[in-house]
Amino acid sequence: MNEHISRQLREAAGAHQPDRARMLARVQRGAAGPAPRHRTRSGLRSWPRAAIAGLAAAGILATGGLAMAGITQAPPPSEATTAPAPPSPVATPTPTRPAPPAATAPATAPAPAAVTPTSPHPTPSGASAGSRTQNGPLWSAGSIGSHSNAYWSESDLVLRTSQPLTSLTVELRVAQTGGVRDTGNWRTLPADDFTVTVQEAGGALVYRWVLKPGRTVPPGEHQFAGQYNHATGVRAATGDGYRVEAQSTGGPATVWGGFTPAG
C-alpha cells in the first residue's frame, strides 16, 4: 500500500508544474488552520494534511534547487574586449617653400645717374690729339657707356659750364662701322628746351641737340647720350667724335673731342 502511494506521489510530482507563490500560500494556510476542501485523487484522500503540505514544500524546495543549480551552472560572462590602441600619428613633412626666380637684367639701358656740378678737370688721356675739351666756361669729356655690349652701345658726353648759356648746339658723331642703327637718345636738361634730330651723314650716325631761342642752360654739369645697335662684337670708337658750340655772357666757346672706351 505504501509503495503504491509513493509511486503515485512521485508520478504526480514529476508531472506537476508548481506555482511557487500559490503553493507557499497554501502551505501557510495549512499551517494556520484547516485547509479548504478540494477534489483530489482517490489515492490521496486518506493522507493527512501535514503529509501533503510537507510533500508540496519538498517540491517547492526541489524546484528552487533546480533553479539555483541552473543559475550557478550558467557560463560566466565573456571578458570585455579591449579595443586596440589607435595607431601613432605619422608626421607630415612641411612643404618647402620654393625659392623665388633669379632677377634678370633689363633689356634696355639703365637711366643715367644723377650728377652734381663740379669744377673743370684736365683733358682726358683718351681724347684724340686734335681735341679741345676745355674752352672759356666749358669743359667736356666723351666716353662709351659701361653698360654697352657686343650688340648695343651708348656714347656719353659730359658737359660742364661755369656760366649760363644762351645758345648751345651739341653734336655726337658715331662712325658707321657696320650695322649702326639708332635706338634712342637722352639728356639731363629739359626735353622741351631742345630741338633734337638724328640722321646719317658723311658715313656716320649724327645726333644733334639745339637749344631753342629764349631758353637758357644753367651753370652746372649736364649729360647728352646717343644709343645705337651695331654689328656683333667689340666695336671700335676711334672714328667717333663730338663737338659743342655755346654762347655765354663771356662770349662764344667751342669744345670737341673723342670717346674713350668703356672702363
Side-chain angles (χ1 to χ4, degrees), residues 3-83:
E3 181 65 26
H4 177 71
I5 293 174
S6 298
R7 186 175 62 252
Q8 287 183 341
L9 288 174
R10 286 195 298 270
E11 293 176 354
H16 181 66
Q17 299 293 331
D19 186 336
R20 184 177 180 183
R22 291 184 62 186
M23 293 181 71
L24 286 174
R26 289 174 64 184
V27 170
Q28 291 174 359
R29 286 196 303 269
R37 298 177 62 85
H38 295 283
R39 180 179 295 179
T40 60
R41 296 182 181 180
S42 58
L44 300 177
R45 291 178 182 177
S46 60
W47 279 79
R49 293 190 186 96
I52 297 173
L55 291 174
I60 294 171
L61 293 175
T63 305
L66 291 175
M68 290 298 294
I71 293 173
T72 57
Q73 294 177 2
S78 59
E79 296 182 358
T81 303
T82 303

